[in-house]
Amino acid sequence: FDKTIIIWQYWSDVYMDVSAFTPIIKTICEKHQIEFNEIIPQGFSTNAVFKIGSYIFKIFAPPSSGANTISDFDAEKSALERAIIAGVNVPKLYYDGLIETKYPFYYMVFEYIEALEARKVVSNYNDEQKRIFAGKILDILEKLNKPVTYDAKHLSIKNRYKLFNKWQIFTPSIQKQVDEYIQNLELNDFVYVHGDITEDNILIDQNHGVYLIDFADSTIAPAYYEYPSIIFGLFDFDETLFHLFRSEMNYDDFIDVLYHSILLHEFGAIFSKMILEQDGNQTVDNLTNIIQLKESLKRLFKKRLNN
């Protein structure tokens, strides 16, 4: 591996580079007696993901990038084990380990699932198919979001949003308000969460079977931590899916909880930027108070969901 990775941006520039990762992939293939084949990048991901024959290779960003490599690796492995025990459809993990080269690269080798990302399928569903799909997502959450005995260390979720300084696209004043809001947020009812149930991390096969992938962002948090990725990514504001998902929860109460989850979430800054851009009344640069973000959220939902 001949690339230099000393900050996250360097990793972002190289993680889909087939030529850069070919020596590492060949080493992994030799180690596990896997036939080396054409290397096909698998699109956007925090880590380097490639398809080789009937396998998916996932290579984690090294610690030099600023990533929490070992904790992400351990989180994904333990979360996969919990998901399997819970009866959630996930790709089979064949091998995992560490390749020591210029940087230490942790890796996992999964089975390749013959399926499409949800974003390529769900938009073509009729209302009945959406009802069934929403039910499957709720079933996954029920199986995954198992309660965790309270421990003070779980409050580390209040610092997860700081990873990679995503909020730096906002003004220092907004960054301070977000921090104060999160640190004063009362958290309870901790559960295991996937943390990134997006349109790319749900796969749907030809029989409409649903698979959940990429557990690297799994953590411990209130169950509503799952909401932003599902509502903004997986459901893409679809009115039918949204109302099926919130079920009996009062609309205004759901918006309040969603607002909490956005600010708390590791990718909250990205969700917030998207909300402001789609609402069109505020921008990242002229936002002066985070309550304006909540107002933008309400306007956007009224516009997109006809409320």
Side-chain angles (χ1 to χ4, degrees):
F1 188 83
D2 62 359
K3 301 295 183 180
T4 298
I5 303 172
I6 54 176
I7 58 173
W8 184 255
Q9 185 57 51
Y10 284 33
W11 173 255
S12 298
D13 292 340
V14 75
Y15 77 105
M16 291 181 64
D17 188 332
V18 170
S19 62
F21 285 96
T22 296
I24 297 173
I25 292 172
K26 283 185 175 179
T27 300
I28 296 172
C29 286
E30 291 172 2
K31 181 178 179 180
H32 299 292
Q33 299 182 325
I34 297 171
E35 181 180 356
F36 179 76
N37 211 318
E38 179 185 8
I39 301 173
I40 305 173
Q42 292 300 288
F44 176 78
S45 174
T46 302
N47 298 296
V49 182
F50 304 95
K51 178 180 180 291
I52 296 91
S54 59
Y55 300 90
I56 292 292
F57 283 53
K58 182 171 188 174
I59 301 171
F60 289 73
S64 59
S65 69
N68 295 317
T69 307
I70 297 176
S71 62
D72 287 350
F73 178 84
D74 289 341
E76 175 141 14
K77 193 169 181 180
S78 60
L80 272 168
E81 292 170 354
R82 286 195 302 272
I84 292 170
I85 292 171
V88 177
N89 288 334
V90 298
K92 182 178 180 179
L93 175 62
Y94 289 121
Y95 311 106
D96 64 86
L98 170 67
I99 297 295
E100 293 279 8
T101 177
K102 183 176 181 180
Y103 304 99
F105 285 107
Y106 286 84
Y107 67 88
M108 292 181 174
V109 180
F110 298 92
E111 69 171 321
Y112 171 69
I113 301 294
E114 193 67 52
L116 294 174
E117 294 93 344
R119 60 186 167 84
K120 298 178 181 178
V121 179
V122 178
S123 60
N124 297 317
Y125 277 171
N126 58 36
D127 284 351
E128 176 60 16
Q129 289 172 316
K130 288 177 181 178
R131 183 190 66 76
I132 295 172
F133 178 69
K136 290 179 178 179
I137 298 303
L138 289 168
D139 181 61
I140 288 174
L141 293 179
E142 183 178 354
K143 291 176 178 177
L144 284 183
N145 297 160
K146 296 302 183 183
V148 179
T149 302
Y150 177 81
D151 189 305
K153 69 181 180 181
H154 296 156
L155 292 179
S156 63
I157 190 65
K158 288 190 173 184
N159 293 315
R160 195 174 179 90
Y161 81 97
K162 297 178 182 178
L163 293 175
F164 309 122
N165 298 316
K166 297 183 183 72
W167 281 95
Q168 66 183 351
I169 60 175
F170 288 82
T171 65
S173 173
I174 291 298
Q175 294 178 51
K176 182 179 179 181
Q177 290 177 50
V178 169
D179 185 67
E180 290 175 347
Y181 185 92
I182 292 175
Q183 300 311 320
N184 290 318
L185 192 61
E186 183 178 350
L187 301 181
N188 47 49
D189 297 328
F190 288 96
V191 299
Y192 291 111
V193 296
H194 178 280
D196 196 25
I197 302 180
T198 66
E199 66 276 28
D200 292 318
N201 289 335
I202 289 288
L203 303 181
I204 302 175
D205 66 21
Q206 61 182 359
N207 296 316
H208 302 286
V210 172
Y211 293 82
L212 182 59
I213 65 172
D214 195 353
F215 287 76
D217 292 313
S218 297
T219 187
I220 293 170
Y224 59 69
Y225 189 84
E226 304 277 29
Y227 292 1
S229 299
I230 294 173
I231 299 300
F232 303 129
L234 181 61
F235 290 175
D236 190 25
F237 286 99
D238 183 279
E239 184 174 5
T240 300
L241 291 171
F242 170 78
H243 290 303
L244 286 168
F245 183 78
R246 74 181 178 91
S247 186
E248 298 178 0
M249 186 182 293
N250 175 275
Y251 174 79
D252 290 330
D253 291 341
F254 187 87
I255 295 298
D256 286 342
V257 171
L258 184 59
Y259 177 63
H260 295 330
S261 66
I262 291 167
L263 295 180
L264 186 65
H265 201 280
E266 176 180 345
F267 300 107
I270 297 172
F271 293 129
S272 298
K273 182 174 183 290
M274 179 272 291
I275 290 166
L276 295 175
E277 289 175 346
Q278 293 197 24
D279 173 45
N281 283 269
Q282 301 287 340
T283 68
V284 167
D285 296 324
N286 67 23
L287 194 71
T288 59
N289 193 300
I290 58 173
I291 197 64
Q292 294 170 307
L293 173 63
K294 187 174 184 179
E295 293 167 355
S296 287
L297 179 65
K298 288 181 177 180
R299 282 193 298 268
L300 185 57
F301 268 82
K302 287 184 180 296
K303 178 169 62 176
R304 296 288 293 271
L305 301 177
N306 299 312
N307 283 293

